[in-house]
Structure formats: C-alpha cells, structure tokens
Amino acid sequence: MKRPIKKYAFLLLIVFGNGYAQSKKHLDTNKPIEERISLLMKEMTLEEKVGQMNQYNGSWDVTGPKPESGSNEEKYNNIKKGLVGSMLSVRGVKEVRAVQKMAVEETRLGIPLLFGFDVIHGYKTLSPIPLAEAASWDLEAIKNSAHIAAIEASASGLNWTFAPNVDISNDARWGRVMEGAGEDPYLGSKIATARVKGFQGESLSANTAIIACAKHFAGYGFVEAGREYNSVDMSNSKLYNSVLPPFKATVDAGIRTFMNSFNTLNGVPATGNSFLQRDILKGAWKFDGFVVSDWASIGEMITHGYAADAADAAQKAAIAGSDMDMESSVYVTELAKLVKKGVVKESVVDDAVRRILRVKFELGLFDNPYKYCNEAREKSSIGNKANNDAVLDMAKKSIVLLKNNKNLLPLKKEGVKIALIGALANDKTSPLGSWRIAADDNTAISVLEGMQQYKNNPLVYEKGTDVALNKQVFVDEVKINTTDFSGFEAAKKAAKQAEVVVMVLGEIGFQSGEGRSRTELGLPGNQQQLLEEVYKVNRNIVLVLNNGRPLALPWAAENIPAIVEAWQLGTQSGNAIAQVLYGDYNPSGKLTMSFPRNVGQCPIYYNLYNTGRPTNKDQNAFWSHYIDVEKTPLYPFGYGLSYTSFEYKNLKLAKTSFQKGEKIELSVDVTNTGNFDGKEVVQLYINDVAASVVRPVKELKGFELIALKKGETKTVHFTLTDKELGFYDNNGKFLTEAGLFNVMIGWNSNEGLSTKFELK
C-alpha cells in the first residue's frame, strides 16, 4: 500500500508544483506577455509582489554553506520565500545558477531573479573608461565595446548592467565624469543610444544580451562644487535642454531600466521625485520598463530630511515611481504594511511589479531561467582574443593628440634612444581605470610593455616618482606621494642621455570614479616637479597623460612640445599607446569635455550663454572675465589633432531663407593636406540668435567621422531639421522658433567656417 501512496503523492507534486497549479498558465509561450503577467500576478500575495521590488547584494558565498546569522541569513531566507526580485553582485555561472535555483525551484511561485552588476566599460576584458570612448566620436565602435562587455558579462551569468551613465557634466572636479560622455547633450544622446544598443543587442531573447540601465535620473552631473552625492539646484531650462535629452534617447532606443540618482533636485531627492519618475519618465515619455534605486537611496531620503523614517521613505519612493529598492530593505519590511493600512494603494505596487515582471519575461527567464548559465560559454567567451582585439581597437580610437610641436610625433621606429619615465608607465593596474570590479589587478598591458614591442630603439625606463604611497584599493583613500623625490636623479640622468623622453604622468586608476571628487586638477603629487626637472635636461618630451577626467596643465601646454591624452584605456592600454606613439595608428580623438586652465574656472564648457557684457575691455570698462587668467578653456570641447592636417573650404548652404519644417542642407569640403592617412571628426554647431529662452552661443547639432587618405578631398553633407533647431521651454514644451541662425562647421567648438540663414 505504501508504494502507490508515494507514487500518487509524486504525481500530485508534478501537477500542483508548490501548490499553485493555476499559475502555470503564465508559462504558456503562446500567450502575449501582458496576459502572462496578469495570470501570474493573480496568484501572487501582496508580500510576494513586494518581494519582486526588493534587490539584495550577494554578500556571502552562495555556493558555500547557508548563512547562519545576521543580514545574510535574512537575505537567504527571503530568497526562498519568494521575497526577492533581483540580486546584485552575484556573478559566475556556478554562483548565479545556485541562487537562481533557489528562486525558481524552492519558492512557491518559482519567479526567476535578475542578476545585476556594474559592467561600466567591460567585464574582465576592459575597454577604455567611457569618457575616453566618447572621445572617439565613433558610435559603431562604442556600440561594439558595449556588446563585448555584454558578451562577457552574460557568459558569467549576469543579465543586467547598471550602465550606461548618461549624466551630462561640465565639472571636472566630479569624479564620475569618467563614466559619462562629457558635457554635450547632443553627443551624449548619440553615445547613450549606441551603448544601449550594444548592451541589449537586437533582441533581449539572445543569451548575449543584457538589460541596460540609464543612470542617474536625474541631474547628478551638476552636483554643487563637483562634490559627490551633493545637492543639485537648477533651472528648468538646464534640466530640459541639457540633462534630460540623453535619458530620452535611451527610452527611444528601447532601454528597459532606469536608475535614479542620489542627489536632491531642487529640494526633492530624485528617488522620491514624482515629477521626474511619474510625470516625465513614465508619463510624457511612456517608459514601460522599471526604475531601480541607487544603492540604499530610498533609505537615504531620511538623512536628506525628506522622509521621517523607513516607512515614510518606502511610501514616498513607491508613490513617486521607484519600482525596485536596491539594498535599503525598506520595501520588503514596510511596503506591505503601508498597503494594508491604506497609505499606499495596491495599484502602485501592482504597477511596479508588472514593470519588473515584464522585463523578466522579455529576457526569456520564465522560459529558461538558466539561459545565462553555460559554463562552457563562460570559459570560451571571457578574455578571448577577439575581445582583446576589439578593446585594443577602441583604445586607439579614444586617444587624443593635444599638442605636437615640430612633429615630435610619431616616433621614429629605429635609431632613436628613448627614455621612458613615470610610475604609470610601468603600471598594469591603473590603466584599467575605475569601475573595473570584475577585472583582476595587474592585467593591463603597461606602456613599458607596449613600447618594448618596438625593438629597434634603445629604451631605458626610470620610475622617477611614485604617484601613490599606498595600495590602490577601491575602499581606501589614496595617499598621494608629495614627499619622496628619491627617483628624480635617476630619471634626469636617463633623460639627459636620451634623444626623446616619453613621460607617462597623471592619475592612478582610483583617483576618479564614484566618491573621487578633487579640488585640484593638476598632476597629483610631485609629478609636476618631476616634469619640470626632466625638462631642464631634455626638452624633447612627449607627455602621455593617464587620467579619468580633464586636467589643468597650463605649464605643460606652454612648454612641453608633444602631449597625448591617453586616459585610462583598459586591458590593452600599453599596446594602444605604443602604436599611436610610433605612428602605426594616427590619433583621431576629440575632447568631449573642455580642459580648464585651472580649477577656478570649473565648471567650464563650450555651450555657455552670453552675458549682457560678453565683449572685451575695449568696449566695456567691466566685462565678463577673470582678472588673473583667460576665461577660455585650455583645450576646448571638440579639440584634437592628428599626425596629418586637414583643410576646410567651400561651406555651402542651398539658400539663406527657409520655412519651418523645411530641411536645411549644408556641405563642406575637407581635404587631407598632410603626409599621413587620417580620420577627422567634422563638427556642426548652431546658434539661435534671438529666442524666447536664451540659447547657448554654440550647440553641437551634427558630426561626421570621415577617413581621408593623404591628398584626398571629401564633401561632407549635413541636414538640419526642426529637431536640431528647436529647444525646450521652461515647461518642457519643444519649440522651433523663427529667426536668424548662425552655423559653424569646423574642427573643434572654437574654430571653423561659418555662415547664417533665416528660418521664417
């Protein structure tokens, strides 16, 4: 009699699963996703719904023993109760599979988890930091870079990245400028689109596609004084015309998640800001994905002084439109109680849960919860040659040539004695940059290693000075060296005996990024002193900059003959730099942030507004300027040289008067007049002379990256429409107004050919 009973019980388990036979209907792939969501939600308790809005950080060894106490035990138990919707920082196929199995096979409803991670500029194989990539102005290369990152991350079990950062910022003091695309909303929008499409691919059903997340919504790039986590107070004009366009571009590109920002915006924390999340994002833009908080930002509304306690924070965040709570734990502890009290409507919870489930269905996790858990793919996809070749290509395209007097570059490949100086030249960790938490230390190709590939030149290396005195770890403050000069004499001796000196100076990898604001933007520590001492014995210096933000380098700009902005270029950094220095690759990068003359100019940016007294002292006794330094940047937005030269001529406009809605066609001839094949970023700027809301003196509204062989001429065509000519008023209404427009097509934001037309 026992055997039939056991058999019958087993059959009941198959039929009824964990006690919810009806909810199996949501697994029917023939039904539309929205119907499948509704079927599943009918089976969910209020607590299980709220659980989908809860994200935990995986802070224990998930393939090890069960946590026995503390918050990790609570997290572990809540996963098994179906009270978790997503996990953060659980990575690797074995770890992901173990946690996903708990959620899918050991809970009542078996709802799969999302696994998120900060894949900012690569996973194991790192591309340049995003600010460097932006300097390429190569949208296809940027898209491919994100795709390579998605391939590796997805092979490690991940299905969600907290990128791209689309914050516009014009303040180099803020460390997170390294994560974005710079100061311009037009270029930032194009790059945001490229990154979303790179991460998410053509379809989320592919196992190489991961969900992208636009962050930080919104205004984070304008924190006061460039200080991390600080307040933001801005006009609606700045918000609508500078901050929001890249976010809107990601929605148009099909992005599935947003992350709100830590800052207050005009007195209201972004996490609890219904104007941003309900009115704009989910209302006007019709975004149907979901919003995740930044780390503990819901709970931090208490510290902001906006919420009285955890319950108040949960209430305000949920009502404002924050759908998922990252690590505050206030939703899972407070939200169900608030609904039962009638303080929060259950429809608010239902809306958030529907959004979260929608993304999980779109990823195909309900059809195959383990689609990202293939150990063979993990081994073959991470760090392979194809990925390294791709990030090397991206790194070369990201380098910006700032100065090249007397054609000191490219270096001759034989017969030249070279001294290579600087601790960063032999550093295999700093070039990885910030936000490289899946990569291993000491895995970057150093500049020394890259230059050693060119064996026909004698090469002597000297450190000169250390940049930091302590180990470069993410959680510690970096202790900068200002006291040890012991390597100076050896560096000067090597420089004196060399024909050319290559000095690699700048920031270590963790001097930019989150929590890395600076009040000085020169070369950290005693590197400036080293540069000046070496200059005394040999003036043939090529200064190679490794940094995550614009630096203020007035002395170098005046005295050093060749300066290369090489950023933090990732895994293949040294190879990319060496190939540019020796001329195997002709640099074509252009700056996407203005470089200040000193930190006192910050924030500084090209698309500023005119004042009532913008002219010089010959016209006004008092005018808008500084009395101690030029008001212009050291290097402007869009600036970058090449080993060849380009001539612009024949700027043509079909006519000088147009009607609204009419396409405005322009063209310019660009000729490579130098001795090298090269690439040029042809840039188009406009100025709306008189408008109902004042417009910037210049605004980028088009660009083309073209390749020209030496002696070749190409005609570059641009089209302006109402979309490029218009702007947002202070109520968020898009306007295109009649009037006079100035147009400039050139090689940076300060120089080019100009014309004008009238819009009637």
Side-chain angles (χ1 to χ4, degrees):
M1 292 294 293
K2 290 182 179 180
R3 186 169 296 172
I5 291 174
K6 285 185 176 180
K7 184 176 181 181
Y8 179 65
F10 179 69
L11 289 173
L12 281 176
L13 184 61
I14 293 174
V15 173
F16 291 103
N18 288 325
Y20 74 113
Q22 294 300 314
S23 70
K24 292 293 185 182
K25 292 180 180 178
H26 73 272
L27 298 179
D28 185 352
T29 58
N30 293 317
K31 296 182 185 295
I33 284 178
E34 296 304 313
E35 182 180 346
R36 296 174 71 183
I37 296 171
S38 297
L39 288 167
L40 176 56
M41 289 183 66
K42 286 179 182 178
E43 302 300 322
M44 298 174 72
T45 65
L46 174 60
E47 287 73 17
E48 286 167 338
K49 290 176 182 176
V50 171
Q52 287 300 300
M53 303 169 67
N54 181 34
Q55 183 184 67
Y56 283 142
N57 180 45
S59 51
W60 73 95
D61 181 4
V62 297
T63 57
K66 171 188 173 181
E68 294 296 337
S69 62
S71 63
N72 286 335
E73 183 183 26
E74 180 182 2
K75 293 176 183 180
Y76 182 92
N77 291 335
N78 278 350
I79 293 172
K80 292 200 167 191
K81 293 175 184 176
L83 301 183
V84 182
S86 172
M87 292 298 293
L88 170 67
S89 299
V90 176
R91 59 189 176 93
V93 166
K94 289 183 179 179
E95 289 74 14
V96 169
R97 181 182 288 276
V99 180
Q100 191 72 288
K101 183 177 180 180
M102 290 166 58
V104 173
E105 300 182 27
E106 299 183 43
T107 64
R108 190 179 78 87
L109 296 178
I111 301 174
L113 297 169
L114 293 172
F115 291 87
F117 195 70
D118 287 291
V119 185
I120 306 302
H121 56 108
Y123 184 66
K124 282 282 190 183
T125 310
L126 295 185
S127 277
I129 60 172
L131 183 62
E133 287 191 348
S136 73
W137 297 57
D138 189 327
L139 300 178
E140 280 301 313
I142 293 170
K143 176 182 174 183
N144 187 57
S145 173
H147 178 58
I148 296 298
I151 288 174
E152 289 201 352
S154 63
S156 191
L158 300 168
N159 49 38
W160 186 13
T161 175
F162 302 122
N165 180 324
V166 301
D167 294 318
I168 297 301
S169 184
N170 49 38
D171 196 334
R173 293 173 295 179
W174 189 49
R176 300 193 81 163
V177 298
M178 59 77 58
E179 288 182 59
E183 69 191 46
D184 183 75
Y186 178 86
L187 178 62
S189 297
K190 298 291 186 183
I191 291 174
T193 298
R195 287 182 170 144
V196 170
K197 291 183 176 179
F199 285 129
Q200 295 190 170
E202 296 299 321
S203 171
L204 288 177
S205 63
N207 66 357
T208 55
I210 60 177
I211 309 163
C213 182
K215 66 182 189 184
H216 306 84
F217 197 62
Y220 199 22
F222 290 85
V223 284
E224 292 180 355
R227 181 160 56 84
E228 186 69 274
Y229 314 124
N230 208 0
S231 304
V232 174
D233 201 346
M234 66 168 55
S235 68
N236 277 359
S237 180
K238 179 71 74 174
L239 178 68
Y240 283 117
N241 290 289
S242 295
V243 172
L244 295 182
F247 287 102
K248 177 59 164 62
T250 67
V251 174
D252 294 340
I255 200 166
R256 304 313 295 135
T257 65
F258 265 54
M259 178 184 288
N260 49 45
S261 51
F262 286 118
N263 56 277
T264 56
L265 179 65
N266 302 333
V268 179
T271 308
N273 198 311
S274 60
F275 168 67
L276 287 173
Q277 296 172 112
R278 293 288 185 198
D279 297 347
I280 295 176
L281 179 60
K282 297 177 179 179
W285 296 354
K286 303 186 187 309
F287 173 67
D288 66 352
F290 72 88
V291 179
V292 63
S293 78
D294 209 334
W295 183 286
S297 68
I298 297 180
E300 287 174 6
M301 291 198 298
I302 303 169
T303 311
H304 276 297
Y306 186 69
D309 52 29
D312 193 29
Q315 173 187 338
K316 287 177 175 175
I319 291 173
S322 291
D323 302 310
M324 183 177 284
D325 174 13
M326 180 191 290
E327 270 294 304
S328 285
S329 297
V330 297
Y331 278 177
V332 77
T333 59
E334 305 293 340
L335 197 50
K337 292 184 288 186
L338 292 169
V339 172
K340 291 174 181 178
K341 290 178 181 179
V343 178
V344 176
K345 295 179 180 178
E346 189 165 359
S347 60
V348 170
V349 172
D350 286 347
D351 175 65
V353 175
R354 178 171 285 274
R355 291 170 178 275
I356 294 165
L357 293 177
R358 180 179 294 125
V359 173
K360 293 184 177 184
F361 273 108
E362 289 171 346
L363 272 177
L365 293 179
F366 282 94
D367 307 325
N368 180 9
Y370 306 109
K371 65 177 281 192
Y372 294 94
C373 297
N374 184 320
E375 291 187 48
R377 185 164 82 90
E378 184 176 32
K379 291 179 181 178
S380 64
S381 296
I382 296 177
N384 62 30
K385 184 179 184 303
N387 295 352
N388 275 279
D389 289 346
V391 300
L392 173 59
D393 178 67
M394 186 75 254
K396 290 185 290 187
K397 291 175 176 175
S398 302
I399 293 173
V400 183
L401 180 62
L402 297 178
K403 188 177 179 183
N404 192 24
N405 283 7
K406 299 180 181 179
N407 294 321
L408 188 57
L409 291 173
L411 300 172
K412 295 178 181 178
K413 292 183 179 177
E414 56 184 354
V416 179
K417 189 173 183 180
I418 296 174
L420 178 63
I421 296 172
L424 292 175
N426 194 29
D427 194 324
K428 294 172 64 62
T429 297
S430 279
L432 298 174
S434 191
W435 283 119
R436 39 84 172 176
I437 48 181
D440 299 319
D441 287 351
N442 297 310
T443 55
I445 302 297
S446 70
V447 177
L448 176 59
E449 290 171 323
M451 293 188 70
Q452 285 173 337
Q453 303 302 309
Y454 294 82
K455 302 182 183 298
N456 293 329
N457 277 333
L459 180 68
V460 175
Y461 169 72
E462 289 292 343
K463 178 174 66 174
T465 184
D466 285 310
V467 183
L469 296 175
N470 64 329
K471 185 180 179 182
Q472 299 172 32
V473 289
F474 182 75
V475 294
D476 290 342
E477 291 299 321
V478 177
K479 295 179 181 177
I480 299 302
N481 174 30
T482 58
T483 57
D484 182 3
F485 300 87
S486 58
F488 273 37
E489 288 305 315
K492 289 169 66 176
K493 181 179 179 181
K496 192 173 184 178
Q497 296 173 350
E499 295 174 65
V500 178
V501 180
V502 176
M503 298 188 71
V504 184
L505 308 176
E507 298 179 313
I508 62 173
F510 284 140
Q511 281 185 276
S512 60
E514 184 173 355
R516 303 298 184 189
S517 297
R518 291 182 62 193
T519 61
E520 295 292 340
L521 295 178
L523 294 170
N526 52 23
Q527 292 178 99
Q528 179 65 34
Q529 294 159 282
L530 175 65
L531 178 62
E532 294 182 25
E533 286 297 307
V534 170
Y535 182 76
K536 290 176 182 178
V537 300
N538 191 333
R539 297 190 173 189
N540 288 331
I541 296 175
V542 177
L543 173 58
V544 177
L545 298 170
N546 283 178
N547 45 298
R549 51 156 60 85
L551 298 178
L553 303 163
W555 187 90
E558 181 179 352
N559 294 285
I560 301 302
I563 305 176
V564 176
E565 177 50 86
W567 312 105
Q568 287 149 352
L569 295 175
T571 304
Q572 289 291 322
S573 181
N575 285 334
I577 292 169
Q579 289 177 32
V580 166
L581 293 181
Y582 279 104
D584 286 335
Y585 189 88
N586 188 353
S588 58
K590 303 275 189 176
L591 298 179
T592 63
M593 284 192 76
S594 303
F595 275 43
R597 298 175 186 274
N598 61 44
V599 73
Q601 289 184 309
C602 292
I604 188 168
Y605 49 101
Y606 88 93
N607 49 351
L608 68 162
Y609 299 115
N610 256 333
T611 69
R613 294 187 175 185
T615 55
N616 59 37
K617 59 187 177 182
D618 295 328
Q619 278 99 7
N620 293 104
F622 298 97
W623 56 295
S624 180
H625 72 300
Y626 300 106
I627 64 172
D628 57 347
V629 72
E630 289 288 330
K631 67 178 181 180
T632 57
L634 183 63
Y635 296 111
F637 175 88
Y639 179 86
L641 305 177
S642 169
Y643 293 152
T644 193
S645 55
F646 300 98
E647 180 183 14
Y648 286 62
K649 57 186 178 182
N650 298 330
L651 173 56
K652 293 180 181 178
L653 189 61
K655 53 185 179 179
T656 58
S657 181
F658 298 86
Q659 297 292 327
K660 278 188 183 181
E662 189 176 357
K663 290 183 178 180
I664 300 165
E665 307 286 349
L666 303 96
S667 66
V668 67
D669 293 338
V670 183
T671 302
N672 183 341
T673 56
N675 298 318
F676 296 85
D677 298 344
K679 294 179 181 178
E680 172 72 338
V681 181
V682 184
Q683 304 160 43
L684 182 149
Y685 298 86
I686 69 165
N687 163 239
D688 188 344
V689 175
S692 58
V693 178
V694 296
R695 306 306 307 134
V697 295
K698 285 191 182 99
E699 295 180 272
L700 180 73
K701 292 298 179 180
F703 64 92
E704 291 290 335
L705 175 61
I706 61 171
L708 292 171
K709 296 186 179 299
K710 58 181 180 180
E712 182 182 7
T713 298
K714 284 186 178 178
T715 300
V716 182
H717 296 272
F718 292 99
T719 301
L720 292 173
T721 67
D722 286 358
K723 181 179 179 182
E724 287 75 37
L725 300 178
F727 61 93
Y728 291 94
D729 69 10
N730 289 331
N731 296 313
K733 182 181 179 182
F734 192 78
L735 305 175
T736 304
E737 296 181 339
L740 186 65
F741 288 80
N742 295 319
V743 183
M744 186 191 82
I745 298 180
W747 44 99
N748 64 64
S749 60
N750 274 358
E751 300 175 286
L753 307 178
S754 61
T755 186
K756 61 184 64 177
F757 65 86
E758 184 180 14
L759 189 68
K760 293 185 175 180

